[in-house]
Amino acid sequence: DFVVCFVLLQMSDDELNMSPPGSPTAFDDSSYDDSSLPIGVKKTVLSNGSGWERPKDMYEVQVNITGKYDEIIFDSNESEGRPRTYVVGSGLPCKGLDSTFKGMKRGEKSTVVIDSPHAFGPEGLPDKNVPADVAVTYEVELVDWHKVEDITKAKDKGILVKLLDDGPEWDKPKDHDFSFIRYRGRVVGEDKYFAEEGMGEGTEPLRVKTGSILPSGLLEAVKELKKGSKALVTLKPEHAFGETGIPDKAVPANAAVEYEVELVDVHNVIDASKDGGVLCETLNKVSTEWKKPKETSKCSVSWKAAVAGPGSWASREFENLENRSVVIGSAGSDTVTDGLERALEQLVKGQRAFVSVRSEYAFGEAGLEGKVKAGESVEYQVELHSFEEAPSTYSMSAADKKAYSEKIKETGNTFFKTGQIRRALRRYEVALEPFEYIDNIRDEAEKRAAQEIKAACNLNLAACHDKKGDWSQVVSRCNIVMELPVNHNKARFRRAKAYIQLGRLQEARTDLEALVELDPNDKAVRNGRMN
């Protein structure tokens, strides 16, 4: 099979199209026999179309068409000066035409002979003087088509998206992304538009958070478009403005509406903290890069920082730094926030972003003296110029892994002592990564060292979750320690405390009694013991 594929790749187009004398070429549509055509419908291709796609039900096709019976022309659009538009699958009087359209490619010209049952049957077509029970012949040129999709779950044609121009990229916006759109809307059947944004010459498109687009049907349609696409969107009332309409915009109750919409651009927004606390809006794409910095990566970065809120950026800006060196995970800077580091981990070399950072990922309740008040959120305009890749732990020796983890754990300890619990938690998670799976370590000394580090990191993670009041996670981390051949006292005590908070009192009693039995003089344990 490999040899056959290789030979085919080396052949020229002419060689690929060679056929025995008298036979059609391999890619000659003049011999095309669409197996989906019903018996009684016979198509002969006169001129090949382009591409491989063919229209489907609900697509709008534009065709030049001439219909005949017994060489008598009964229908033609030649005098109309433009192609005719049909909706595939909409119940054309000549059922065979629907099947024909579905088998054609864009630009194709064909002749199709349709027997009476698939044409006009025993009734004929009186308004065109087509008698009953005759076969008809159509010459059809499929000039173009527009994809039309019903994107409602119920498939009730509540939201119809007619694609006028398919975008060149694959990006589709999600609720949290920013969409740059141009649109205008009107009541179906009317000429006057009741809404318009970004349509004037020289007018910038509207920048909008995708999930806030209204009405709901327009939102669902925009989320189905690719960057660069243009579409006509038709909405039933329940997906538009329902029983209320928009009186001040002359949109009556229970009105169907349609929108012309263009999705000019999409800025993907990454939730870097998984809870909406650090939202990173990428402003450009760098197709040649895919690697991203991570813990211990040394980055060259420029950024501007401002307090979030109303007013111009200049009036809110408190920091403007260029080509600064930032080591992700380092505790050496008071102004490099957790949110900025998390955003950098989402970027590739040469990428720019706008980053919104909630207070707890910025300067928290401490604020930044004279610049950021307690509890204020901040915003960044950031560009990642370059970075040095962090070392891969997979290729490290056991000793190097231990040193790597110990260093990161110590950074976590520094953050923990200064009350930066989220940053400490992240450091402990990273320090733990090389030692998550240690059962296959054969050297006993190395295995023992790995067990100690795994236990220490999980205990520290339990302490972080304790500070956050995440008691289920405290129990989970302590359970991991309890399975290791190390001293269990700290893990048992922290777990007992978490059990109490969770109302699992009998389990807490069991842990505390076990600790008292091990050390009856431990005051901390005795104070934690229930009566």
Side-chain angles (χ1 to χ4, degrees), residues 45-62:
V45 175
L46 304 175
S47 177
N48 294 331
S50 60
W52 55 271
E53 291 184 288
R54 292 178 167 86
K56 301 176 183 177
D57 280 341
M58 293 180 59
Y59 283 25
E60 283 190 5
V61 294
Q62 288 82 48

Side-chain angles (χ1 to χ4, degrees), residues 42 134 152 206 219 257 292 318 399 414 419 427 433 493:
K42 177 65 177 177
V134 296
T152 58
L206 174 69
L219 164 62
V257 300
K292 298 177 180 180
F318 64 86
T414 300
R427 305 293 89 78
E433 284 176 3
F493 186 75

Side-chain angles (χ1 to χ4, degrees), residues 251-508:
V251 179
N254 298 311
V257 300
E258 62 183 15
Y259 287 89
E260 300 167 24
V261 58
E262 177 184 3
L263 180 60
V264 179
D265 200 359
V266 178
H267 285 180
N268 298 123
V269 176
I270 303 164
D271 186 351
S273 59
K274 309 302 182 189
D275 64 357
V278 182
L279 297 178
C280 180
E281 177 189 352
T282 54
L283 303 180
N284 66 315
K285 288 192 173 182
V286 185
S287 58
T288 57
E289 300 289 337
W290 57 273
K291 292 183 179 181
K292 298 177 180 180
K294 56 183 182 179
E295 193 77 16
T296 74
S297 291
K298 185 177 181 180
C299 305
S300 175
V301 192
S302 294
W303 74 85
K304 298 177 182 179
V307 175
S312 67
W313 179 275
S315 67
R316 298 181 286 113
E317 185 177 283
F318 64 86
E319 196 169 56
N320 188 336
L321 301 173
E322 293 189 4
N323 297 308
R324 292 303 176 100
S325 179
V326 174
V327 178
I328 294 179
S330 170
S333 173
D334 292 333
T335 62
V336 177
T337 63
D338 186 19
L340 178 58
E341 287 189 342
R342 288 174 186 256
L344 289 175
E345 290 178 311
Q346 309 305 319
L347 305 181
V348 298
K349 178 182 174 182
Q351 198 160 36
R352 294 176 288 106
F354 180 85
V355 187
S356 301
V357 181
R358 258 193 341 240
S359 171
E360 62 266 36
Y361 293 97
F363 301 102
E365 293 305 314
L368 185 62
E369 187 176 358
K371 297 179 179 179
V372 181
K373 295 178 182 177
E376 284 189 319
S377 297
V378 300
E379 297 170 341
Y380 291 95
Q381 298 176 35
V382 59
E383 181 175 1
L384 176 61
H385 301 298
S386 63
F387 66 92
E388 297 175 9
E389 288 188 49
S392 170
T393 58
Y394 293 105
S395 58
M396 288 183 183
S397 66
D400 287 342
K401 283 183 182 180
K402 182 175 183 296
Y404 172 84
S405 289
E406 290 284 4
K407 182 178 179 180
I408 294 175
K409 183 164 70 70
E410 283 304 313
T411 303
N413 293 344
T414 300
F415 284 129
F416 189 88
K417 290 172 185 176
T418 56
Q420 300 181 69
I421 304 304
R422 293 178 186 274
R423 300 184 85 172
L425 192 147
R426 293 191 76 211
R427 305 293 89 78
Y428 296 142
E429 287 176 338
V430 174
L432 177 61
E433 284 176 3
F435 299 101
E436 285 277 17
Y437 306 101
I438 59 176
D439 291 342
N440 60 350
I441 298 177
R442 295 182 180 180
D443 184 274
E444 286 301 319
E446 290 179 4
K447 191 166 189 175
R448 180 64 182 174
Q451 290 166 342
E452 293 288 348
I453 292 175
K454 184 171 183 177
C457 288
N458 275 288
L459 282 170
N460 289 354
L461 285 166
C464 290
H465 290 301
D466 182 303
K467 291 286 188 182
K468 293 173 64 183
D470 192 346
W471 305 112
S472 294
Q473 280 295 318
V474 173
V475 171
S476 177
R477 291 297 176 178
C478 289
N479 285 343
I480 294 172
V481 178
M482 295 294 291
E483 294 174 359
L484 296 169
V486 296
N487 187 298
H488 294 156
N489 290 3
K490 281 187 179 180
R492 199 182 292 277
F493 186 75
R494 283 184 182 150
R495 187 172 69 174
K497 179 182 176 182
Y499 279 150
I500 292 171
Q501 296 294 329
L502 292 167
R504 296 163 63 175
L505 302 184
Q506 185 54 54
E507 290 163 292

Side-chain angles (χ1 to χ4, degrees), residues 57-341:
D57 280 341
M58 293 180 59
Y59 283 25
E60 283 190 5
V61 294
Q62 288 82 48
V63 298
N64 291 320
I65 191 166
T66 299
K68 302 177 183 179
Y69 72 93
D70 295 336
E71 296 303 315
I72 299 171
I73 296 175
F74 66 87
D75 191 19
S76 175
N77 72 307
E78 186 174 350
S79 62
E80 297 169 11
R82 64 179 183 276
R84 278 197 196 155
T85 297
Y86 295 99
V87 177
V88 179
S90 62
L92 294 174
C94 181
K95 297 184 288 292
L97 272 181
D98 255 345
S99 302
T100 300
F101 294 152
K102 292 179 184 178
M104 297 183 73
K105 296 188 290 187
R106 187 177 274 110
E108 179 183 319
K109 294 181 182 179
S110 291
T111 297
V112 58
V113 179
I114 305 173
D115 67 4
S116 174
H118 295 93
F120 305 108
E123 296 180 358
L125 192 63
D127 61 330
K128 296 287 187 178
N129 297 316
V130 178
D133 299 317
V134 296
V136 297
T137 300
Y138 282 98
E139 293 179 6
V140 182
E141 178 188 6
L142 181 54
V143 178
D144 200 359
W145 75 70
H146 293 302
K147 180 179 180 180
V148 180
E149 280 193 293
D150 177 2
I151 64 171
T152 58
K153 291 182 179 178
K155 298 302 176 187
D156 60 359
K157 299 183 180 179
I159 308 174
L160 293 179
V161 180
K162 175 182 173 182
L163 196 62
L164 304 176
D165 191 0
D166 202 4
E169 300 190 24
W170 289 100
D171 273 356
K172 290 183 179 181
K174 300 179 180 63
D175 281 336
H176 54 260
D177 292 339
F178 281 97
S179 292
F180 292 75
I181 59 175
R182 306 182 194 276
Y183 73 89
R184 58 185 179 183
R186 62 185 175 186
V187 175
V188 171
E190 295 190 3
D191 295 327
K192 185 178 179 181
Y193 293 96
F194 63 81
E196 185 170 314
E197 289 286 354
M199 297 296 290
E201 186 176 347
T203 304
E204 291 294 317
L206 174 69
R207 176 184 182 270
V208 59
K209 190 169 184 178
T210 306
S212 68
I213 293 173
L214 291 173
S216 61
L218 181 60
L219 164 62
E220 296 306 316
V222 169
K223 289 186 341 187
E224 288 300 314
L225 298 180
K226 296 185 292 187
K227 175 181 172 181
S229 295
K230 296 179 182 178
L232 178 66
V233 180
T234 306
L235 307 176
K236 285 186 176 179
E238 59 268 32
H239 299 285
F241 303 103
E243 297 178 355
T244 59
I246 314 179
D248 61 334
K249 297 278 190 178
V251 179
N254 298 311
V257 300
E258 62 183 15
Y259 287 89
E260 300 167 24
V261 58
E262 177 184 3
L263 180 60
V264 179
D265 200 359
V266 178
H267 285 180
N268 298 123
V269 176
I270 303 164
D271 186 351
S273 59
K274 309 302 182 189
D275 64 357
V278 182
L279 297 178
C280 180
E281 177 189 352
T282 54
L283 303 180
N284 66 315
K285 288 192 173 182
V286 185
S287 58
T288 57
E289 300 289 337
W290 57 273
K291 292 183 179 181
K292 298 177 180 180
K294 56 183 182 179
E295 193 77 16
T296 74
S297 291
K298 185 177 181 180
C299 305
S300 175
V301 192
S302 294
W303 74 85
K304 298 177 182 179
V307 175
S312 67
W313 179 275
S315 67
R316 298 181 286 113
E317 185 177 283
F318 64 86
E319 196 169 56
N320 188 336
L321 301 173
E322 293 189 4
N323 297 308
R324 292 303 176 100
S325 179
V326 174
V327 178
I328 294 179
S330 170
S333 173
D334 292 333
T335 62
V336 177
T337 63
D338 186 19
L340 178 58
E341 287 189 342

